[in-house]
Amino acid sequence: MSQATVNGQTREELEINTLSLFDVLHNSLILRTIAPYLPVYSLLQLSATNKEFRSLIRNTPGVFRHLDLTQVKKAQFDINPIDNGGEVWRNVQLDENLSEDDFYSGPLRGVFNAIQRQDIWKHVQTLILDGLSVTSDLCHELINDTSYSVRILSIRDVKNLNQAKLRGALQYACRPTRPENSPRLKALYVFGSKEAHPETEPEPALQDRESRASISSGWNHKSHQALTSSLERQGDSWWCK
């Protein structure tokens, strides 16, 4: 009598290889796409995790090309007027030696210095300062200082800005004797209102989402409308004097 041997088939267990955060961000296309939506502080914290993340964040081109400082708490200007004697700001006693520009641009300059220590400014091409305390001297540096590489600057609804001095900074940047390939700045957004923070906006309708796909296109449209409206009104047209 022959003996039949039945070999039972065994099912191989399916091994699921889960992707780590590093694996996802190692795709440079993904990293460059999501980086503009992350605060610079979060990117720096991520780069401090280990050597691999630091190398990834620091060496991937375009990670710091878009810098939005509008929601940075230390950049907010919530200080009483300069002529209130005895005020202490950033552990510095206010006195007559402190200029008006130093006072009003102080919080933002503090953030700028922190960014400079991280050697990030050379990568920043789009800088958003809407609603912050931005002085004309600070704008002059951003436009004319070769240590900055800002090509798009947004200063809508900023505080403490001297428009006449801003016009002078632009005229200086476009002078006939300016160095070759200068100024680096190609777009300046001044007119119109700043963008509302996403947390305060209602959920956009489905038909509106396509119109939000291009940030640059939306900014150009709003700036054109604001400029057209300003030209139609009577008043101090400081930009064309």
Side-chain angles (χ1 to χ4, degrees), residues 4-200:
T5 302
V6 178
N7 295 326
Q9 295 181 349
T10 60
R11 179 181 298 175
E12 296 182 357
E13 294 183 359
L14 179 62
E15 296 182 358
I16 302 177
N17 296 323
T18 57
L19 292 176
S20 65
L21 178 61
F22 180 83
D23 294 329
V24 175
L25 297 181
H26 194 267
N27 186 316
S28 59
L29 178 61
I30 295 178
L31 180 56
R32 289 198 303 267
T33 300
I34 67 174
Y37 298 95
L38 298 176
V40 62
Y41 177 77
S42 298
L43 291 172
L44 294 176
Q45 287 290 91
L46 183 61
S47 67
T49 305
N50 53 43
K51 293 182 179 179
E52 288 75 16
F53 271 112
R54 179 177 179 82
S55 177
L56 179 64
I57 298 297
R58 296 288 185 170
N59 297 329
T60 301
V63 172
F64 295 106
R65 73 184 187 279
H66 181 97
L67 188 59
D68 186 349
L69 301 181
T70 58
Q71 300 302 317
V72 177
K73 292 183 178 180
K74 291 185 178 180
Q76 306 301 319
F77 186 85
D78 53 359
I79 308 172
N80 292 330
I82 190 171
D83 55 355
N84 285 0
E87 291 289 343
V88 177
W89 170 72
R90 292 190 183 277
N91 298 323
V92 178
Q93 186 71 29
L94 298 183
D95 55 28
E96 296 179 354
N97 295 325
L98 184 65
S99 68
E100 184 177 358
D101 178 80
D102 291 336
F103 178 79
Y104 288 120
S105 64
L108 197 53
R109 286 187 183 276
V111 176
F112 276 26
N113 291 336
I115 296 174
Q116 180 62 39
R117 289 193 294 270
Q118 296 292 335
D119 196 25
I120 293 176
W121 278 121
K122 61 184 179 182
H123 304 294
V124 178
Q125 297 186 17
T126 302
L127 181 61
I128 314 298
L129 304 177
D130 297 341
L132 300 177
S133 179
V134 182
T135 63
S136 56
D137 287 351
L138 188 60
C139 289
H140 186 280
E141 294 177 15
L142 290 171
I143 296 171
N144 296 293
D145 194 329
T146 56
S147 62
Y148 296 102
S149 301
V150 177
R151 299 174 64 86
I152 300 177
L153 175 62
S154 182
I155 51 174
R156 296 174 298 177
D157 280 349
V158 297
K159 308 170 185 176
N160 307 309
L161 177 65
N162 187 315
Q163 293 91 347
K165 289 185 177 181
L166 173 61
R167 185 183 70 247
L170 294 173
Q171 290 175 339
Y172 177 80
C174 299
R175 67 193 186 279
T177 58
R178 66 184 183 275
E180 188 177 359
N181 298 324
S182 66
R184 295 182 179 181
L185 187 71
K186 303 303 179 184
L188 177 64
Y189 292 90
V190 182
F191 306 100
S193 301
K194 64 179 181 179
E195 296 288 343
H197 192 264
E199 294 179 355
T200 63

Side-chain angles (χ1 to χ4, degrees), residues 210-225:
E210 293 183 359
S211 63
R212 295 172 178 263
S214 176
I215 298 177
S216 297
S217 176
W219 278 13
N220 287 334
H221 179 67
K222 291 181 179 180
S223 295
H224 176 73
Q225 287 183 328

